Structure formats: C-alpha cells, structure tokens
Amino acid sequence: AAAKRVPSSARRLIEGQADLYSAHRARELDGKTLGLVGFCRIARRVARAAEGLGMVAIAYDPFLPADAFSVERVTDLDKLLGRSDAVSVHLPLTTDTRRLFDSGRFAAMKPGAVFVNTARGGVVDQEALLEALDSGHLFAAGIDVTEPEPLPAHHPLLHRDNIVVTPHIASGTEEGRRR
C-alpha cells in the first residue's frame, strides 16, 4: 500500500478527481531488493511473500548464526540500507534498538526507498522519518506501530499521502488472535 500509495489514490477517487491514472505515483516492487532488519519468524515469512512479488530479499541480524539465513545475509546494517529498495523492520524494542532508525539511518537508505515498520514504534525516530520523507529521500513509509500508540488524531504522520499508518493490526485476524 505504501509503495503503490494506495490511500492517496483512493482519496482522489472518493473526491471525484479526474485523470486518476496520470496523477498516480507508485514504486514497482518486481525486481527490487527488500532489506529485512531482523530475521525472526515474521521476517522469514515476509521474505517468502516478497519473493512472490518478484523481489529479492536480503537480511541483517547480528544475533543469528550464518546458517540461520534462507536469504543473503548482510553483516553491516548501513550496507543493507544502501542496497535496499524497501526496508522492513523486525526488531524488538531494547535500549540498543530504541531510535535505531534516526536521521543517519534514513540518510543511509537508498534514495527513493520505501520504509516499513511493523516491529515497535520506539525503534523509529518519527521526526527523522518525516524529514526523510519531506526531503524526498524516501518515497513512502508504511507503519503499523507508533510511539505513542495510538497516535493522537492531529499527529502529522496521519495526514500525509506518502505514509500508510495502521493501528497495530497487522496480526489482527481471527486466526492471529487465536495464535
């Protein structure tokens, strides 16, 4: 949804705007690289889904042995960021990961990349994310977790065409709730 900027196109449709196709801006995912930060159970499933979209997944996780990777292992986080057309974060919130994604990390990302965080809101410096999007360095972001959670209705993350924010519902299915 973030790469294709689905919410902004849906909004233009609802508003009755004309020439929706030419106004649409999106990123192709086929043939692109997905960088996974953390390679837990969920990240492994995301890697398989990305393959279905024609993406190549690479991963960074300094806590796993080399033989735990089913995709290319990258041992330097900034190198992974510089190679990835999209980055998906799968980390716990710890003292070491708090605000791991700050202005320096966003600057290390490939220009035009898409950033996705479904891990924990505190892993991201939200002001730095907004700056990276405002500057045009990042194309879009998809976030399912924020700090605080939920965000207040007036928060700037909620009112942008280049961010998809969901209220921590990625696992909110009947099956997910039972698990």
Side-chain angles (χ1 to χ4, degrees):
K4 300 300 182 182
R5 289 197 178 164
V6 171
S8 61
S9 287
R11 179 187 44 76
R12 285 193 300 276
L13 174 68
I14 291 166
E15 293 171 353
Q17 294 182 19
D19 204 8
L20 297 168
Y21 187 81
S22 65
H24 183 68
R25 300 288 175 259
R27 286 288 186 260
E28 182 70 43
L29 297 176
D30 185 37
K32 300 299 192 302
T33 299
L34 172 65
L36 298 162
V37 182
F39 201 58
C40 63
R41 176 184 53 85
I42 294 170
R44 290 182 182 108
R45 292 185 75 153
V46 171
R48 288 197 311 268
E51 288 176 14
L53 296 172
M55 299 183 83
V56 174
I58 60 177
Y60 166 83
D61 193 324
F63 300 104
L64 291 179
D67 63 355
F69 289 79
S70 57
V71 300
E72 180 187 339
R73 177 185 184 209
V74 179
T75 58
D76 181 274
L77 176 56
D78 289 335
K79 286 182 181 173
L80 176 132
L81 298 176
R83 289 180 53 193
S84 301
D85 300 289
V87 171
S88 184
V89 180
H90 304 273
L91 299 170
L93 180 59
T94 68
T95 55
D96 292 332
T97 63
R98 180 168 290 287
R99 305 278 187 282
L100 178 66
F101 282 87
D102 58 11
S103 58
R105 284 280 151 61
F106 288 124
M109 288 179 67
K110 191 175 194 177
V114 175
F115 177 77
V116 177
N117 183 22
T118 60
R120 294 292 177 255
V123 171
V124 176
D125 177 336
Q126 293 172 164
E127 291 301 317
L129 174 60
L130 287 167
E131 290 170 13
L133 290 161
D134 286 343
S135 72
H137 186 70
L138 295 183
F139 178 73
I143 53 178
D144 186 54
V145 288
T146 57
E147 193 173 73
E149 198 171 87
L151 291 173
H154 65 277
H155 197 282
L157 285 172
L158 298 175
H159 304 283
R160 303 180 57 110
D161 284 344
N162 57 355
I163 301 178
V164 177
V165 181
T166 54
H168 204 159
I169 57 165
S171 67
T173 63
E174 286 184 35
E175 296 84 356
R177 287 183 178 106
R178 279 195 298 271
R179 278 192 304 275

